[in-house]
Structure formats: C-alpha cells, structure tokens
C-alpha cells in the first residue's frame, strides 16, 4: 500500500506533467519544423522575402531557434544586409559558441569589410580550433589573406584546404594565380591543370 501511495504521489503527477508539455509544446515544435522546411524551399527557389516571412513566424514562437536564425542570416547576407546577418549569427553563437556554420558565415560577413579583416580571420581561426580539418574555413582563410596581399599565409591556407579536402578546385585556381604572379610557371601550371580537372567534375569551392 505504501508503494502504491508513493506511485500515486510521484509518478502520476509526473505523467500528467509530461502529457501537458507534449500537448502544449509538441504542436508548436512540429509547426516550426514544417515552416522551416517551407522556408528552406522558398530560399532555394530564390523567393527570399517569402522565406523571411516564415522565419519571422518561427522566431515569434521560438526566438532562439538556431536553424531559423542562421537561415535568416544567410538570406540577409545575400541581400547585403550585413548588420542584420551579423546580429542573427551572434544570437546563434550566444547559445552555441561552437556552431561552426554561424562562425563561417560571420567570417564571410566581416570579410566584406576591409576594416574588419582581423575579425574575419579570427572567426576562421575559431572554427579551426574546433575542427582543424574544416576545409571551408581553410579556403576562406586563404581568400582573406590573398585579398590582403599576404601571399605566404594565403598559400599555407590554400594548401591546407587541398590537404584536408583533397579535391578543392578553387584553392588550386588561387594557387595557380599566385604562382603565375610570382613567375613560377611550373607550379602555376600544375595547379591550373588540377583546378581545370576538378572544375570539370563540379568540385569548385565557392
């Protein structure tokens, strides 16, 4: 009898509580996932304003929905609204500091502004501290250094992208350009041939 009373005292209220949360939270969660899927489809179709409207509805239900925040940031990045994109990335990183997708996009945002190049490279380094073999971070780091005329650092980063990715046409093409400008035709030709072969196979990095 004592065990039965204990069950009624502890287990039954817990079951009712679980049922309540399943009823109260489940439909909103499912609806958010449905809207996010539709938002992604509109994004891929190029219907960015429609995608953002759906994201706004998701964030009204769940203000810290990381995937919705990141999708909003991507759209705003393509729309050149860098301030809004940065804000959404930072909201993701507030709760998930190791979110490499948010850091990579943030690095690209900062890389659009010559005055924030140190911050852009810092974000790339943060990603590589989390994942040393992150190919996109190495490739972006190479582009950032290359844009600054820091060729030694750019070569090192591009080579790392090739090492970890094995099949990165963009990195080969960038190295071919560097070696051509440095009047090293042998190295330039090897990387240009590799870039052309990989590009033909659809492996060029953006």
């Amino acid at each position: 009898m004592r065990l039965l009373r204990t069950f009624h005292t502890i287990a039954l209220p817990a079951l009712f509580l679980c049922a309540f949360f399943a009823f109260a939270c489940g439909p909103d969660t499912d609806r958010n996932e449905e809207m996010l899927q539709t938002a992604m489809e509109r994004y891929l179709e190029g219907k960015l304003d429609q995608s953002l409207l759906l994201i706004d509805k998701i964030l009204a239900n769940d203000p810290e929905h990381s995937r919705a925040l990141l999708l909003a940031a991507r759209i705003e990045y393509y729309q050149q609204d860098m301030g809004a994109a940065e804000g959404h990335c930072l909201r993701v990183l507030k709760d998930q500091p190791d979110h490499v997708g948010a850091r990579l996009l943030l690095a690209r945002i900062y890389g659009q502004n010559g005055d924030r190049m140190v911050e852009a490279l810092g974000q790339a380094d943060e990603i590589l501290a989390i994942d040393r073999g992150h190919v996109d971070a190495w490739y972006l780091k190479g582009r950032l250094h290359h844009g600054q005329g820091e060729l030694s650092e750019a070569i090192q980063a591009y080579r790392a992208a090739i090492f970890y990715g094995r099949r990165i046409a963009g990195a080969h093409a960038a190295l071919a350009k560097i070696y051509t400008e440095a009047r090293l035709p042998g190295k330039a030709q090897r990387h240009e041939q590799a870039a052309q072969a990989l590009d033909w196979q659809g492996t060029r990095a953006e």
Side-chain angles (χ1 to χ4, degrees):
M1 289 296 294
R2 181 177 298 176
L3 288 175
L4 185 60
R5 286 197 299 271
T6 301
F7 175 82
H8 287 167
T9 303
I10 298 175
L12 289 180
L15 289 172
F16 282 123
L17 190 61
C18 290
F20 170 78
F21 278 114
F23 174 79
C25 302
D28 280 347
T29 301
D30 292 343
R31 179 60 179 152
N32 284 344
E33 292 304 311
E34 291 174 5
M35 287 193 291
L36 184 63
Q37 180 63 36
T38 304
M40 179 61 73
E41 292 171 0
R42 297 295 175 268
Y43 165 71
L44 294 174
E45 293 166 358
K47 300 175 182 178
L48 303 184
D49 290 337
Q50 292 181 24
S51 184
L52 285 173
L53 286 174
L54 289 165
I55 292 169
D56 285 342
K57 293 179 180 179
I58 296 169
L59 295 178
N61 295 332
D62 181 0
E64 304 307 321
H65 194 294
S66 61
R67 285 178 292 154
L69 289 169
L70 191 57
L71 180 56
R74 287 174 179 162
I75 293 171
E76 290 153 353
Y77 174 79
Y78 289 121
Q79 292 179 331
Q80 296 295 301
D81 189 352
M82 299 302 175
E86 178 186 1
H88 282 128
C89 286
L90 291 174
R91 282 174 63 181
V92 174
L93 292 172
K94 181 180 177 181
D95 289 333
Q96 302 180 48
D98 289 343
H99 197 299
V100 295
R103 288 199 179 276
L104 187 65
L105 182 53
L106 198 56
R108 289 175 175 152
I109 292 167
Y110 293 153
Q112 297 295 310
N113 186 339
D115 294 333
R116 306 191 74 176
M117 203 58 62
V118 172
E119 293 174 85
L121 288 166
Q123 290 299 324
D125 287 337
E126 289 284 351
I127 295 169
L128 295 173
I130 298 167
D131 179 3
R132 190 66 179 169
H134 197 288
V135 176
D136 288 336
W138 280 117
Y139 181 68
L140 178 59
K141 189 172 181 179
R143 291 182 64 179
L144 294 170
H145 281 302
H146 196 175
Q148 293 289 96
E150 299 165 350
L151 300 186
S152 178
E153 293 85 349
I155 289 171
Q156 181 181 8
Y158 285 139
R159 283 178 172 171
I162 292 169
F163 174 79
Y164 288 111
R166 304 295 179 187
R167 295 162 57 81
I168 304 299
H172 280 294
L175 285 170
K177 182 178 180 181
I178 290 173
Y179 288 134
T180 297
E181 293 170 352
R183 298 182 180 180
L184 295 170
K187 289 185 176 181
Q189 184 178 18
R190 285 197 299 272
H191 285 288
E192 183 60 36
Q193 289 172 345
Q196 289 174 356
L198 295 172
D199 196 34
W200 179 78
Q201 296 173 41
T203 58
R204 178 172 291 277
E206 297 298 334

